[in-house]
Amino acid sequence: MNRRPPRHPSHAPAAPARTAGSVRIIGGRWRGTRLAVPDLAGLRPTSDRVRETLFNWLQPVLPGATVLDLFAGSGALGLEAVSRGAAQAILVERDPAQAQCLREAVQRLHAEAQVRVVQDDAVRWLAGQAPAGGGGCRVAFVDPPFAADLWAGTLQALPPHMAVDGWIYLESPVDQAPSPPSGWRLHRELRTAQARAALYRVAATPGAAGDTPGAECADTLAAANPAP
């Protein structure tokens, strides 16, 4: 019996990502759209409650912005930003099957002109991009797998790609506060039973949109009141 030679691994299509559930876009033009949550080690989607708070903080700066969603996973942060008025989003996801899933979600939303999916390691991708010279992304989402401890490398590589009035969102274990890049300061922070969510901004832009007296604060979401 003749047998066809096995397909070379480099030519094999990515296996479909197994899903562990879904999250929904909670605001804007795509409100209610469900996004698949892949069954990937270390993936921990940001809860509805935290995302609602985060995007309330960011709403004044989103219209027309370019956003960067590193460690994109389900794509909930980057796609939520575009849903709420961001002009462009770049979603960087290392897993090939999940990157393909993100491309399919972008096609389903007819958002190809606004959203680009990059299949690559986030730190390596940042290192390979030319510095933006102050005209880069307005908002960056940094929410890596906690066990991988990727905050330091990511935050070291990220600033050259940010706009002069940029914002960085960091999610980390509740008892861990990664050091922001030099020249960035804490704008808002909240903690849940599972995570610390913090929003940073360039320190040299007082009075920019979204800044109000006393804006630096900390909020607590009760563990006994989980997100829907």
Side-chain angles (χ1 to χ4, degrees), residues 18 34 51 57 84 97 104 140 168 211:
R18 293 180 300 172
R34 289 280 175 181
R51 280 188 291 123
W57 295 342
R84 291 172 180 253
E104 292 170 0
I168 297 175
D211 196 16

Side-chain angles (χ1 to χ4, degrees), residues 25-162:
I25 295 175
I26 52 180
R29 58 179 164 144
W30 297 327
R31 180 178 181 180
T33 299
R34 289 280 175 181
L35 303 171
V37 175
D39 185 13
L40 296 175
L43 182 65
R44 171 201 29 75
T46 302
S47 71
D48 283 8
R49 188 177 298 272
V50 171
R51 280 188 291 123
E52 183 66 58
T53 301
L54 169 62
F55 283 101
N56 284 342
W57 295 342
L58 285 174
Q59 194 56 53
V61 303
L62 282 180
T66 295
V67 304
L68 178 59
D69 188 359
L70 301 168
F71 314 100
S74 68
L77 292 174
L79 293 175
E80 182 89 37
V82 177
S83 179
R84 291 172 180 253
Q88 302 283 334
I90 303 170
L91 312 184
V92 183
E93 170 55 45
R94 182 176 64 179
D95 184 81
Q98 182 53 24
Q100 179 58 31
C101 186
L102 289 172
R103 293 187 188 99
E104 292 170 0
V106 170
Q107 292 173 354
R108 178 161 50 97
L109 294 168
H110 304 290
E112 295 92 335
Q114 289 184 275
V115 182
R116 179 162 67 101
V117 176
V118 176
Q119 192 267 301
D120 203 348
D121 174 84
V123 178
R124 180 175 61 199
W125 181 80
L126 286 170
Q129 303 303 301
C137 295
R138 185 86 190 273
V139 180
F141 302 106
V142 181
D143 182 14
F146 286 177
D149 194 19
L150 295 170
W151 296 279
T154 305
L155 294 174
Q156 181 179 358
L158 183 56
H161 309 290
M162 298 299 297

